[in-house]
Amino acid sequence: MGGLQKKKYESGSATNYISRNKARKKLSLSLADFRRLCILKGIYPHEPKHKKKVNKGSTAQKTFYLLKDIRFLLHEPIVGKFREYKIFVRKLRKAYGKGEWGGVEKLRENKPAYKLDHIVKERYPTFVDALRDVDDALSMCFLFSTFARTGKCHVETIQLCRRLSVEWMNYIVASRSLRKIFLSIKGIYYQAEVLGQTITWLVPYQFAHDHPTDVDYRVMATFTEFYTTLLGFVNFRLYQTLNLVYPPKLDGKGETDHLMQSLAAFHWVLFFSLQPQDDMEKMEAREKAQQEQDRQKKLFEGLKFFLNREVPRESLAFVLRCFGAQVSWDKSLCIGSTYDVTDETVTHHIVDRPSLDKQYMNRYYIQPQWVYDSVNAKMLLPVEDYFLGVTLPPHLSPFVEEKDGDYVPPERLKLLALQRGERPEQDEEEDEEEDEEEEEDDDDDNDDGEEEEEEAEEEVKLKNMEEKRTQGKVRVTPGKAKQENRQRLEQEEKAEEKRLAIMMMKKKDKYLYDKIMFGKKRKVREANKMAAKRKALDEASKSDRKKKLKK
Amino acid sequence: NRSARTFLYPASSPVGNMAAARRHRLVAASQPGFLPLKADLDGSGQTTGRRKRVNKNKKKNWNKYSDIQDVEEFLDDVRLQERAAGGLIADKPDDSLFFVDTGNQKSVPEPGGVGKKGRNSKPLRIDLILQPDSRIAPPKDVLAHQRPNAKKERRIAQKAEKLAAMGVLPRRQKLLRRPPAAPSVKEKPVTSKDPERNFYDLWSAGGPETADLYYLEQTKKKLVKRPEKLNEKPSVLPAVEVIAPGGSYNPDFFSHQALLLEAHEVEVQKLKAEERLQRKLAINKADVATEMSTFKEQIEGLVEEEEEPNPEAEQVADAVDESVGSAAQREKKTEKQRKKEKAERMKELQKKAERKMIDSRQQLFKLRSISADVKEMAQRTRRRRVQRKARQEAQKSLPRRLGKLKFQAPDLDIQLSDEIPGSLRTLKPEGSILKDRFKSLQKRNLIEPRERAKFKRKHKLKYVEKRAFREIK
């Protein structure tokens, strides 16, 4: 018929997508280069809604890219670099084949190289965007830094990843932003809060692993290439916010040849860049902010740790330094050990063996899980559960948020109780808590100017503390009791209001409400069942143990 | 007169030899009736007869199809004469070329001085080689004739004195005094993989965006804008998914059991799928053909029917007859029949219309049930809409089908109850983080699942037995 009739597959979704091979030919790149380019530029294949339309009637499974994305790729300058590299490889191979070693040298010197800075800037126009994507980058960098330097993947990449990961950890130590840690069978999960963003990353254990064969190394290497660039820039910016010099230098440390290792020791304070003098107000504000630090950030402040040989040194040193502790280890392990095992002022000695021969008097010998659990609980847990040879309490995941009615393991309940401070048997911890609370309150009082009752209570508390110190007896402090009263009153008020509201509901609404409550109660019933089971299990294990002992 | 050419056929210079020879051959071969040395065995006279018609007015063809062999030969000859004889032989006087042989034997003194021991010493070969062998005189050195006049020379000298007094050195002295160039350290281009590379503040540095738009356009430095759609993440899943609490190295009992249950469910599903497959492929023992059944099939219809099947056969025959008969009678409809049918049809239509009227009136009384129906339909559509939305949301978190292969979910990393370590020291890490990251990238639709490319042989391998093996029978 006439030429103005509409033909099939000439407009609409069929023209918005392009298949992978067509895209590759449009860019005149090989498949490997095309994949690398897509990964670097952040261009992903799309699944069209109506595959049959896009595939012009066929239902074969194909990979489709948006045509606009591919057209955008045509303007990318590193496409030219890929083509140059291809030509370079061809020339090099020819020179090798002909035995022209001079030519080979010359070609090698002029190897084409490209940089990815403009791509990073284009994909993440602001720094906050980059921070959001940095946890993927971190996991990849940490993973690559644990690879063996056999040459299977470029050794430079591994070195760069190691450097970046150490820099990142130093930043976290300096800014004290670590929040949660979870030891899993896969690796260690860390969560930190950086400039308002929650960043989670996974670090593998430092044991040798064989690599699976069905992973595409080229793809991972390309991702790492991009991520290392991103992480480098992010590190620079973060160091700038803390007013630190980048690349990091150590304050008061002369030798720089073992810089990486020294940095990895997290010992010395990083070198601060010169602050301009008209920043006095900013400095004051910063000091105030530092004073208002959480109890959490100074969790291990003042404590001295010594790590035995068999514990994961880097992870523990990182965590402990993040919270203000002093750490050291045996000299033969790594550089950066400040004090020896014989030092008298060591308060905690972290050991992972069933027993230790020589034990010193003033220190606690504990297993490494104490550190991680204390960090997750945001307080110093009782040390007795973590002594050598004691069966450890289970390591709970801090990434789990329990909703009401769900089963809560008893260990977690104990933890919550501890956090609320309702453990009258453990006095020393209470004292410590009270001390820290007092410090905090003292700080807060200057800023809030609220309850005078609290001040009065604190005076009472102080008095009681002094009495206790002189007498050394156990007593329940009145201040605590008052707090409980107020809480209970509030709760009672709330309960009454709730009852009133329920009474005033309409019949229909009441029907719905009953249904909901029935469902909730069912959950609670199940949780109770689980708790009962657990109790039975505990008792059974206890009786087993008793029998064993008797034997 | 240079037209009289004396041809000497020299060994012409090798440079133009090949091209000239080729041209010669071409031209010679293009002449009609030319018999080439290597006659074709087939004797295809058609190809030799067919001469290619060529447009000689094109520049491309001037070089290809024009033959200047004769001119080249002449010029070569002229050059040879000049080299060997010092000029064109035709221009030389007769005396230098020819002499009249009168037969007188003049004693010609022997050339060569008396050398050692009085014997004639031949000149050394190397001296002979170094002698010029061409009679052409070397070109004049024009510059040697050019001498600047005294005034110019004086002026040059004065200027040099003045400059020297000022301290300006002539160029040659300057170059000599220059420090020896340090071995040029070539700046290695900074690659993105260099472990010592420097980073800078990327987000505050003023980029090309700050410059003038027109300037950027004219200098072709304007960066192309990134399409908005590329800034959206392809999946809502987080980059790093934390393992369930049962995956802790020292897990709480119930969470560990929950994780084991999940893994157990996965295995159960796999088993079920296998069983389902087996069930579908299973054949009923009774359906298997036995010898008896195949035999019966083969003899069907061949053996004569007995008594019982007969009445059935008759009934069947009657029915067939009846239908045949009615078909034969139904040939023409009479007017009466047609009118009757029409009347019936009208009645039907009327009845329907009446019924419709009554229904529409009665619907007024059915309002309540109608509204109930409508409400139910609306509820149904609302429910379906909610379900569809929920399904779409669930779809968003699933990995999309991006290529030929489907996404294979990775195995759950678990450790059985007896594998759980008591302490961090005895922990044996489970699973590989490399694989976990790879699968996570696939799950988030960043890359498509692919399998390792197989090695395909272009040509089939040939296996040949060695003679020794062949002899062994």
Side-chain angles (χ1 to χ4, degrees):
Chain A
M1 275 201 80
L4 293 175
Q5 273 230 322
K6 228 179 157 188
K7 293 209 184 106
K8 249 184 162 183
Y9 309 126
E10 268 188 4
S11 63
S13 53
T15 49
N16 288 343
Y17 289 91
I18 183 174
S19 76
R20 188 191 66 189
N21 276 337
K22 285 221 174 79
R24 190 174 69 80
K25 290 212 180 98
K26 201 173 166 94
L27 289 160
S28 59
L29 287 174
S30 70
L31 183 61
D33 279 341
F34 176 71
R35 292 195 95 205
R36 195 180 307 151
L37 182 66
C38 284
I39 290 171
L40 290 175
K41 288 284 277 185
I43 291 188
Y44 313 118
H46 281 259
E47 191 188 8
K49 254 196 194 160
H50 306 284
K51 261 194 225 165
K52 219 169 165 183
K53 277 193 207 167
V54 172
N55 214 351
K56 306 218 170 89
S58 137
T59 46
Q61 292 291 346
K62 265 193 186 182
T63 318
F64 289 108
Y65 290 81
L66 285 171
L67 188 60
K68 279 202 183 141
D69 295 349
I70 303 295
R71 273 211 216 112
F72 171 63
L73 271 184
L74 282 168
H75 299 283
E76 175 56 43
I78 63 172
V79 174
K81 297 283 184 174
F82 283 163
R83 296 192 189 127
E84 273 177 33
Y85 189 78
K86 186 171 85 161
I87 294 168
F88 160 76
V89 165
R90 192 194 306 153
K91 285 190 185 161
L92 193 68
R93 211 187 310 136
K94 276 212 185 131
Y96 251 110
K98 290 189 184 168
E100 296 168 7
W101 308 116
V104 166
E105 282 284 323
K106 231 195 307 177
L107 282 170
R108 273 251 166 81
E109 273 173 35
N110 299 333
K111 185 172 171 177
Y114 57 87
K115 287 220 286 194
L116 300 173
D117 305 354
H118 62 285
I119 300 185
V120 174
K121 180 82 197 271
E122 173 198 292
R123 277 176 79 170
Y124 306 108
T126 62
F127 178 54
V128 185
D129 295 331
L131 263 188
R132 272 191 221 120
D133 253 4
V134 92
D135 42 6
D136 210 359
L138 277 171
S139 310
M140 208 63 118
C141 278
F142 274 97
L143 169 66
F144 265 70
S145 58
T146 58
F147 280 1
R149 298 177 191 204
T150 53
K152 191 171 182 194
C153 88
H154 291 197
V155 181
E156 314 164 320
T157 315
I158 301 180
Q159 284 174 331
L160 184 60
C161 287
R162 175 82 182 139
R163 168 190 151 193
L164 290 171
S165 42
V166 166
E167 282 172 10
W168 170 266
M169 286 203 280
N170 271 297
Y171 168 78
I172 298 283
V173 166
S175 65
R176 308 251 179 127
S177 8
L178 195 62
R179 297 284 179 264
K180 295 183 186 171
I181 315 167
F182 181 42
L183 294 164
S184 77
I185 48 180
K186 264 206 278 206
I188 309 183
Y189 289 89
Y190 293 99
Q191 191 176 78
E193 208 178 293
V194 174
L195 299 181
Q197 300 286 331
T198 320
I199 297 175
T200 319
W201 72 96
L202 171 58
V203 176
Y205 289 113
Q206 297 275 21
F207 315 132
H209 23 238
D210 5 293
H211 293 298
T213 47
D214 51 351
V215 170
D216 193 346
Y217 276 91
R218 246 188 277 184
V219 163
M220 303 301 268
T222 317
F223 270 109
T224 311
E225 196 182 330
F226 180 73
Y227 283 148
T228 48
T229 322
L230 171 66
L231 190 58
F233 286 118
V234 165
N235 274 349
F236 183 92
R237 191 58 185 257
L238 288 173
Y239 273 60
Q240 221 181 40
T241 56
L242 280 188
N243 238 334
L244 291 167
V245 152
Y246 187 91
K249 290 193 202 105
L250 294 169
D251 207 8
K253 188 80 169 96
E255 46 179 89
T256 46
D257 32 337
H258 299 292
L259 188 65
M260 265 309 117
Q261 289 189 27
S262 316
L263 280 173
F266 306 116
H267 250 294
W268 298 283
V269 178
L270 290 172
F271 189 66
F272 280 79
S273 67
L274 287 169
Q275 298 168 3
Q277 266 153 13
D278 45 335
D279 257 353
M280 283 307 289
E281 295 170 0
K282 282 194 195 163
M283 278 181 66
E284 282 175 9
R286 226 182 290 133
E287 280 176 29
K288 247 193 181 176
Q290 279 179 4
Q291 275 174 11
E292 288 170 8
Q293 259 177 38
D294 265 350
R295 200 194 328 170
Q296 189 194 8
K297 287 191 184 173
K298 286 186 178 168
L299 188 61
F300 295 134
E301 193 93 9
L303 302 178
K304 245 177 152 180
F305 288 84
F306 189 83
L307 305 177
N308 218 11
R309 288 161 177 277
E310 66 276 350
V311 300
R313 184 199 64 81
E314 195 166 296
S315 164
L316 274 173
F318 171 55
V319 174
L320 288 169
R321 281 286 297 154
C322 254
F323 292 96
Q326 286 176 299
V327 201
S328 181
W329 46 83
D330 197 62
K331 265 208 188 86
S332 53
L333 274 179
C334 181
I335 60 169
S337 77
T338 39
Y339 46 86
D340 211 12
V341 66
T342 49
D343 194 341
E344 300 288 311
T345 46
V346 170
T347 52
H348 296 74
H349 190 144
I350 307 211
V351 190
D352 207 358
R353 296 181 190 171
S355 64
L356 200 57
D357 292 348
K358 193 172 180 194
Q359 299 215 2
Y360 290 86
M361 284 297 289
N362 319 354
R363 51 176 86 164
Y364 290 120
Y365 285 84
I366 44 178
Q367 303 192 36
Q369 199 183 309
W370 178 80
V371 175
Y372 298 110
D373 282 346
S374 306
V375 168
N376 286 335
K378 300 194 183 84
M379 49 174 274
L380 294 171
L381 291 176
V383 194
E384 292 84 46
D385 304 334
Y386 298 90
F387 277 156
L388 297 186
V390 173
T391 329
L392 292 168
H395 178 63
L396 302 168
S397 165
F399 294 99
V400 158
E401 290 136 18
E402 271 115 12
K403 300 166 228 157
D404 15 276
D406 278 352
Y407 167 70
V408 181
E411 285 81 16
R412 189 141 172 86
L413 289 169
K414 257 194 260 171
L415 218 99
L416 292 167
L418 273 174
Q419 281 181 340
R420 270 177 272 144
E422 289 167 6
R423 206 96 181 271
E425 300 136 36
Q426 313 283 336
D427 278 323
E428 298 146 67
E429 274 67 40
E430 266 200 341
D431 284 352
E432 280 178 53
E433 284 167 36
E434 282 175 21
D435 279 337
E436 287 162 316
E437 274 181 76
E438 274 180 55
E439 283 176 17
E440 213 198 348
D441 290 331
D442 280 335
D443 286 339
D444 283 339
D445 278 340
N446 300 333
D447 302 332
D448 313 338
E450 256 187 80
E451 293 92 329
E452 297 142 0
E453 302 171 359
E454 278 195 359
E455 285 186 41
E457 277 179 9
E458 275 152 33
E459 287 178 23
V460 172
K461 262 196 219 165
L462 272 171
K463 273 197 211 157
N464 287 332
M465 287 281 301
E466 286 174 21
E467 285 179 24
K468 244 200 260 176
R469 281 213 190 98
T470 49
Q471 290 179 17
K473 264 201 227 162
V474 179
R475 230 185 276 171
V476 181
T477 57
K480 278 255 154 69
K482 263 200 188 155
Q483 276 186 358
E484 282 183 283
N485 272 341
R486 218 193 297 140
Q487 276 181 13
R488 232 196 301 143
L489 275 172
E490 282 177 24
Q491 278 179 13
E492 278 177 19
E493 273 184 45
K494 277 200 195 140
E496 271 204 48
E497 280 175 22
K498 203 173 176 192
R499 253 179 278 139
L500 265 174
I502 291 174
M503 273 199 290
M504 297 211 307
M505 268 200 287
K506 276 197 246 179
K507 203 176 182 183
K508 265 195 222 166
D509 299 339
K510 181 120 197 322
Y511 184 55
L512 260 174
Y513 176 75
D514 281 341
K515 272 195 164 175
I516 293 170
M517 288 313 289
F518 179 74
K520 273 200 182 164
K521 286 191 186 142
R522 194 192 319 150
K523 264 196 179 176
V524 173
R525 254 183 276 134
E526 285 187 13
N528 285 340
K529 246 199 266 173
M530 301 272 253
K533 266 199 205 169
R534 176 64 190 271
K535 211 178 170 187
L537 188 81
D538 281 339
E539 281 172 10
S541 63
K542 260 195 207 164
S543 60
D544 281 342
R545 251 185 271 149
K546 279 191 187 155
K547 280 190 201 158
K548 277 191 192 161
L549 283 172
K550 276 188 191 166
K551 280 184 187 171
Chain B
N1 193 5
R2 306 233 170 140
S3 57
R5 317 185 245 166
T6 41
F7 261 32
L8 298 168
Y9 289 92
S12 27
S13 60
V15 179
N17 192 22
M18 285 192 288
R22 208 188 321 131
R23 262 181 266 127
H24 188 62
R25 242 181 279 131
L26 274 172
V27 169
S30 65
Q31 304 306 320
F34 182 79
L35 293 168
L37 281 168
K38 286 192 248 171
D40 292 329
L41 297 173
D42 303 339
S44 51
Q46 293 126 345
T47 47
T48 48
R50 193 158 178 68
R51 198 192 324 154
K52 190 171 179 194
R53 296 167 72 91
V54 150
N55 185 9
K56 283 207 190 151
N57 295 327
K58 291 203 160 213
K59 203 169 181 180
K60 250 195 190 175
N61 298 336
W62 293 346
N63 220 9
K64 258 204 240 174
Y65 296 107
S66 54
D67 181 39
I68 52 171
Q69 185 62 18
D70 45 354
V71 177
E72 291 282 327
E73 277 183 20
F74 170 71
L75 285 173
D76 281 337
D77 186 55
V78 164
R79 284 183 208 120
L80 177 70
Q81 286 181 32
E82 292 202 343
R83 259 196 322 217
L88 283 179
I89 292 180
D91 289 342
K92 288 224 176 354
D94 291 343
D95 289 335
S96 58
L97 293 174
F98 306 104
F99 67 95
V100 180
D101 188 9
T102 50
N104 293 2
Q105 303 270 345
K106 275 195 209 154
S107 60
V108 181
E110 297 232 331
V114 183
K116 276 191 193 173
K117 299 188 179 171
R119 281 196 222 119
N120 300 333
S121 55
K122 284 206 292 201
L124 291 177
R125 186 155 184 87
I126 195 167
D127 289 335
L128 287 177
I129 291 171
L130 286 174
Q131 299 296 323
D133 60 346
S134 135
R135 291 267 175 101
I136 302 174
K140 279 199 308 188
D141 180 13
V142 185
L143 286 178
H145 289 276
Q146 290 177 344
R147 309 202 112 247
N149 53 10
K151 220 192 327 179
K152 232 189 209 176
E153 283 192 336
R154 236 183 295 136
R155 260 232 305 258
I156 291 171
Q158 278 173 0
K159 224 187 244 178
E161 269 176 35
K162 233 196 290 177
L163 285 176
M166 280 206 299
V168 177
L169 294 169
R171 194 165 288 160
R172 195 166 280 169
Q173 308 282 336
K174 235 196 282 180
L175 288 175
L176 284 173
R177 300 239 175 133
R178 201 183 44 187
S184 57
V185 178
K186 200 145 188 216
E187 230 188 55
K188 259 202 326 188
V190 185
T191 63
S192 53
K193 292 194 192 161
D194 186 13
E196 306 297 325
R197 68 165 292 183
N198 244 343
F199 293 100
Y200 52 91
D201 193 354
L202 186 70
W203 286 279
S204 77
E209 299 98 56
T210 53
D212 188 27
L213 198 67
Y214 180 73
Y215 165 73
L216 289 175
E217 273 179 5
Q218 291 303 310
T219 52
K220 305 209 173 139
K221 285 209 187 113
K222 185 170 173 204
L223 294 175
V224 184
K225 200 170 71 134
R226 190 178 166 96
E228 283 302 318
K229 250 204 170 172
L230 282 177
N231 293 335
E232 294 165 7
K233 292 229 174 99
S235 171
V236 298
L237 295 171
V240 177
E241 284 178 15
V242 185
I243 198 174
S248 155
Y249 89 102
N250 186 4
D252 163 55
F253 177 72
F254 281 111
S255 30
H256 185 239
Q257 292 294 316
L259 195 63
L260 286 178
L261 191 71
E262 272 185 48
H264 170 76
E265 290 294 316
V266 169
E267 293 296 316
V268 161
Q269 291 295 326
K270 279 198 214 160
L271 273 175
K272 267 198 190 162
E274 266 192 45
E275 269 179 37
R276 196 155 127 260
L277 206 66
Q278 293 297 323
R279 242 186 300 134
K280 289 266 162 82
L281 293 174
I283 36 175
N284 208 351
K285 277 264 170 91
D287 290 341
V288 176
T290 56
E291 260 193 53
M292 256 332 270
S293 63
T294 44
F295 182 63
K296 270 198 185 155
E297 239 183 84
Q298 283 172 352
I299 60 165
E300 217 169 328
L302 296 175
V303 183
E304 274 197 15
E305 303 290 338
E306 288 117 25
E307 292 302 314
E308 289 163 54
N310 263 340
E312 293 171 15
E314 283 172 9
Q315 278 176 17
V316 168
D318 288 338
V320 166
D321 287 337
E322 269 180 28
S323 58
V324 166
S326 57
Q329 280 171 6
R330 218 193 288 142
E331 278 187 23
K332 257 249 162 152
K333 269 195 228 173
T334 51
E335 280 293 326
K336 232 201 281 179
Q337 269 214 322
R338 269 194 241 257
K339 270 196 213 151
K340 225 203 279 180
E341 279 181 5
K342 196 166 183 186
E344 276 178 26
R345 253 185 279 147
M346 292 303 296
K347 241 205 242 170
E348 286 276 338
L349 278 173
Q350 250 193 357
K351 244 201 265 179
K352 270 201 198 149
E354 274 180 29
R355 190 71 235 172
K356 219 169 140 193
M357 285 290 299
I358 295 171
D359 272 343
S360 59
R361 246 183 277 138
Q362 294 296 85
Q363 267 184 6
L364 263 175
F365 305 115
K366 280 208 255 172
L367 266 179
R368 224 195 268 169
S369 68
I370 288 174
S371 75
D373 274 341
V374 163
K375 247 192 241 172
E376 206 212 296
M377 269 172 49
Q379 249 191 12
R380 208 181 330 144
T381 44
R382 244 180 287 137
R383 225 185 312 134
R384 286 219 190 116
R385 184 151 28 71
V386 162
Q387 274 178 1
R388 217 181 311 136
K389 280 245 162 65
R391 224 184 304 140
Q392 271 182 8
E393 288 295 322
Q395 277 267 318
K396 271 196 203 157
S397 58
L398 283 177
R400 320 238 67 200
R401 181 77 186 269
L402 291 170
K404 208 158 67 149
L405 296 175
K406 281 204 189 139
F407 170 71
Q408 300 278 354
D411 299 329
L412 287 169
D413 291 317
I414 45 163
Q415 281 190 334
L416 302 173
S417 314
D418 41 349
E419 287 172 0
I420 293 181
S423 72
L424 201 54
R425 183 175 49 98
T426 51
L427 168 69
K428 201 159 171 269
E430 188 76 31
S432 151
I433 294 198
L434 184 64
K435 192 154 183 197
D436 164 68
R437 292 274 93 222
F438 188 61
K439 286 285 180 185
S440 161
L441 291 170
Q442 282 179 358
K443 207 181 202 182
R444 282 181 282 146
N445 306 326
L446 299 178
I447 49 179
E448 53 182 15
R450 278 171 93 215
E451 61 182 4
R452 215 190 162 90
K454 282 187 221 134
F455 178 64
K456 278 198 199 147
R457 281 200 178 275
K458 238 184 171 176
H459 307 286
K460 219 170 68 157
L461 278 179
K462 277 198 211 167
Y463 290 101
V464 179
E465 264 186 339
K466 277 197 191 164
R467 190 164 276 177
F469 282 122
R470 233 187 289 152
E471 284 171 1
I472 303 170
K473 277 290 167 82

